Amino acid sequence: MNGTRKEREREFKRQEILSAAIEIFAAKGYNNATLDEIAEASEFGKGTLYNYFQNKQEIYFAIIENIFEQFVINLRRIDSESQNLKEFLSGLVKFMISYCVNNSAAFMIMAHKRLSSINEKSGAMSDRMKTLMEEGQSVQLKKIEKAIKKKEVREFNPNKLLDLIRGMVFSYVYNQLACVKDKNFDIDKESEFVLSVLFNGILKN
């Protein structure tokens, strides 16, 4: 990153705190995680945490913001590389499954997210995070709406399709990794399975 050495050192420490916190939140959920545990895991004193974050909620939202930023960066890439909705959704599903598997702590935080005592309407959510959420939703909706207009697919509610895809992917991956504990989970094969059901259903022609 750019900036003075002092600024780089500050950002490094901030990221060290977030890296430790993501493991704590993933293991215990937002409600049960404590600043003392985050301080111990990051190997900083609790007082040091307050030099970077006002409270636990601010740390949590910083992690969520990082997760959304990675999602939007990859969403832009998938959008630019896809020629139609099928290619876009194929890239999206494969990325989502790959991200969940390769970033298990972040995935568990998102899985716990709706069970926490805070929500996205909280004043602690940054303008940056709101912008990322809006951009991510906009990119996906525009792709679907364009496909409907071009008659690539039948007419349906784009928001409901996105809810369906998120529900399919996240619930399925969570069940396989956290419940079934599938040690042989193959990202490519599982992505193809989800996509085959999404595009072709389960009935024989």
Side-chain angles (χ1 to χ4, degrees):
M1 61 171 289
N2 297 324
T4 66
R5 186 175 72 175
K6 186 175 182 179
E7 290 171 337
R8 292 195 299 271
E9 289 176 350
R10 179 175 176 80
E11 180 60 21
F12 175 78
K13 287 184 179 180
R14 183 177 183 275
Q15 290 303 321
E16 286 289 292
I17 294 170
L18 293 178
S19 295
I22 196 171
E23 299 295 336
I24 300 297
F25 284 130
K28 308 194 72 171
Y30 173 82
N31 296 333
N32 296 322
T34 68
L35 281 175
D36 287 326
E37 291 170 324
I38 295 172
E40 181 179 357
S42 66
E43 300 183 347
F44 291 122
K46 189 175 179 180
T48 301
L49 266 62
Y50 287 113
N51 291 329
Y52 297 86
F53 303 97
Q54 294 183 13
N55 48 45
K56 180 177 77 170
Q57 182 170 285
E58 190 172 295
I59 296 174
Y60 178 82
F61 273 119
I63 291 171
I64 299 298
E65 181 177 309
N66 285 348
I67 293 172
F68 271 97
E69 185 166 28
Q70 287 302 308
F71 176 73
V72 170
I73 288 172
N74 281 276
L75 194 59
R76 292 171 187 152
R77 172 185 58 78
I78 295 165
D79 183 33
S80 66
E81 293 175 352
S82 60
Q83 301 298 314
N84 52 52
L85 184 62
K86 185 174 182 179
E87 289 183 2
F88 177 76
L89 293 181
S90 295
L92 177 62
V93 167
K94 289 178 181 178
F95 165 71
M96 290 168 67
I97 292 178
S98 176
Y99 184 87
C100 291
V101 173
N102 295 322
N103 301 272
S104 57
F107 175 48
M108 290 306 299
I109 285 179
M110 297 307 290
H112 289 314
K113 185 164 170 284
R114 297 193 182 282
L115 301 178
S116 70
S117 61
I118 63 177
N119 58 63
E120 291 165 357
K121 295 180 181 179
S122 169
M125 185 170 66
S126 69
D127 290 339
R128 172 64 175 161
M129 183 169 160
K130 293 175 185 176
T131 299
L132 289 168
M133 291 174 64
E134 290 170 359
E135 180 182 349
Q137 188 74 356
S138 176
V139 169
Q140 295 173 87
L141 289 177
K142 285 181 179 178
K143 204 75 174 185
I144 296 172
E145 290 166 353
K146 182 178 179 180
I148 293 175
K149 187 175 182 179
K150 294 175 64 177
K151 301 189 182 302
E152 290 179 25
V153 293
R154 61 184 176 83
E155 290 192 20
F156 48 75
N157 185 315
N159 285 292
K160 288 187 176 182
L161 175 63
L162 292 178
D163 286 342
L164 175 64
I165 293 172
R166 283 191 288 263
M168 285 177 64
V169 172
F170 294 137
S171 296
Y172 180 68
V173 175
Y174 181 85
N175 184 70
Q176 294 301 304
L177 297 183
C179 301
V180 177
K181 300 186 184 302
D182 183 358
K183 298 184 183 300
N184 298 311
F185 191 92
D186 186 294
I187 293 173
D188 290 331
K189 288 183 179 179
E190 299 298 342
S191 297
E192 291 305 320
F193 170 66
V194 171
L195 289 168
S196 70
V197 173
L198 175 63
F199 293 139
N200 305 318
I202 60 173
L203 298 179
K204 285 188 174 182
N205 293 328

